[in-house]
Amino acid sequence: MLTASLAAKLIRQILVDYNFWPTSESDSPLRITRSTTVLTDAAILSRDASMRRAAVGDITPPYKAPNRRIEYKTLDQTFKPLVASALLTVQTIAQSVQDGTNGLEMLEIPIEQSEFLVQLYSAFKQLANHQVCYVIDGDADSSDVYTGLFITGESIDGQVIIAQTLLIQT
């Protein structure tokens, strides 16, 4: 297990080279924070609402988050399909490089993405009570494009490490 400062430092180092969540249609860089209190549903919804308000800016009437709900997933449920997809892309592009259709530089982004996902998974796996929370629109008729993403885990010194972003998904 890691201390909070070491875990935050490790995750920030991972985010230096590549910091884009693969299921978002826009740049959705993860932001790392620490908390001395357990992240409750209310705290997650509050953080999500703050990210949504920041994303839309000052508008009239003010943005009001839709009815939302939280979906909890394990690290494996979240990361395994993303890594598998990234590696399939690497394999496909590697074949096109071998065939001469594409240059070697075409492998840079998919390899960085797979490395990012594996390293982020590994970092959070070293923390206790790790989980992934998606804050999604609770109303099927709503056209809200935002999904809050929170990856959390507890350090050995009792702090909660949070990687959070707002995904754009239409």
Side-chain angles (χ1 to χ4, degrees):
M1 286 241 325
L2 302 172
T3 64
S5 62
L6 186 57
K9 181 180 178 180
L10 174 62
I11 294 168
R12 285 186 181 106
Q13 287 174 339
I14 293 166
L15 302 180
V16 168
D17 290 333
Y18 190 92
N19 189 4
F20 302 99
W21 195 255
T23 61
S24 185
E25 296 171 18
S26 181
D27 288 348
S28 296
L30 291 170
R31 186 173 63 94
I32 307 305
T33 60
R34 300 186 317 190
S35 175
T36 55
T37 60
V38 175
L39 212 56
T40 63
D41 285 358
I44 291 170
L45 290 173
S46 175
R47 285 173 175 260
D48 176 73
S50 294
M51 288 190 303
R52 289 169 187 255
R53 280 191 303 275
V56 298
D58 291 329
I59 59 172
T60 305
Y63 175 79
K64 182 178 179 334
N67 179 29
R68 297 158 294 148
R69 63 185 170 86
I70 302 171
E71 281 187 0
Y72 291 93
K73 293 191 176 192
T74 66
L75 291 179
D76 287 345
Q77 289 172 320
T78 300
F79 282 90
K80 282 185 177 182
L82 294 173
V83 170
S85 177
L87 291 175
L88 183 60
T89 301
V90 168
Q91 183 180 13
T92 302
I93 293 174
Q95 184 60 50
S96 71
V97 169
Q98 188 71 25
D99 296 344
T101 310
N102 280 310
L104 196 56
E105 67 279 358
M106 293 297 293
L107 284 166
E108 183 178 2
I109 298 297
I111 287 175
E112 282 183 0
Q113 183 182 65
S114 58
E115 181 182 21
F116 161 76
L117 291 167
V118 170
Q119 288 179 345
L120 196 59
Y121 170 86
S122 296
F124 275 96
K125 195 76 171 174
Q126 294 179 58
L127 299 171
N129 302 320
H130 44 72
Q131 66 181 357
V132 179
C133 308
Y134 288 96
V135 180
I136 60 173
D137 191 346
D139 183 3
D141 296 332
S142 176
S143 61
D144 195 82
V145 298
Y146 300 113
T147 298
L149 170 67
F150 299 85
I151 308 168
T152 66
E154 289 180 36
S155 65
I156 195 166
D157 49 359
Q159 291 191 37
V160 178
I161 308 301
I162 306 155
Q164 67 183 57
T165 192
L166 194 61
L167 309 175
I168 309 298
Q169 300 174 320
T170 55

